[in-house]
Amino acid sequence: QVQLVESGGGLVQAGESLRLSCAASGGTFTLNGIEWYRQAPGKQREFVASTTNGEGKDYADSVKGRFTISMDIAKNTGFLQMNSLKPEDTGVYFCRADLLFVSLAVPRYYWGQGTQVSVSS
């Protein structure tokens, strides 16, 4: 069974940094892409960043210049480096992994469990 485990969230002060990880395991696959979303209480989930094989990176305007998305394909892990954090960055962050399995012709997508990021002023 495939597992997608997120880690790295926490409570920080405005201006500090966090690095989120999204590790995939439990299958024969190649990690092709990672997407990050976040959801604040009472709000809809919103797109944060995405990448395919570490190329063609996209960011929401609200995080551009502060967040950096990356992948370590050999370790089947995606990352989100978050610098200069603001209180409005607070929320639960979810990763979505694009996994290409040997036995399948198309990729499959899996969601992580979410990790809480809280930024105080």
Side-chain angles (χ1 to χ4, degrees):
Q1 64 184 53
V2 174
Q3 295 176 306
L4 192 60
V5 180
E6 299 183 38
S7 62
L11 174 62
V12 298
Q13 296 181 4
E16 296 183 340
S17 300
L18 285 172
R19 190 192 192 204
L20 306 184
S21 297
C22 179
S25 64
T28 303
F29 54 75
T30 298
L31 179 62
N32 289 138
I34 289 287
E35 297 177 345
W36 289 94
Y37 298 81
R38 67 187 181 189
Q39 187 169 17
K43 297 183 179 179
Q44 292 188 316
R45 188 173 300 180
E46 64 175 343
F47 170 81
V48 175
S50 68
T51 186
T52 299
N53 294 321
E55 302 175 357
K57 300 175 181 180
D58 292 322
Y59 299 93
D61 289 341
S62 60
V63 307
K64 196 171 299 181
R66 299 187 298 119
F67 290 11
T68 302
I69 189 170
S70 62
M71 289 173 49
D72 187 334
I73 297 176
K75 296 181 179 179
N76 290 323
T77 303
F79 304 95
L80 184 67
Q81 178 67 43
M82 305 184 296
N83 297 328
S84 302
L85 283 163
K86 305 175 181 179
E88 51 262 43
D89 294 319
T90 294
V92 178
Y93 283 68
F94 298 90
C95 66
R96 182 175 181 258
D98 170 10
L99 306 181
L100 181 61
F101 290 81
V102 173
S103 61
L104 299 177
V106 297
R108 294 288 184 266
Y109 297 90
Y110 294 84
W111 286 95
Q113 82 282 4
T115 185
Q116 177 70 46
V117 172
S118 298
V119 185
S120 64
S121 60

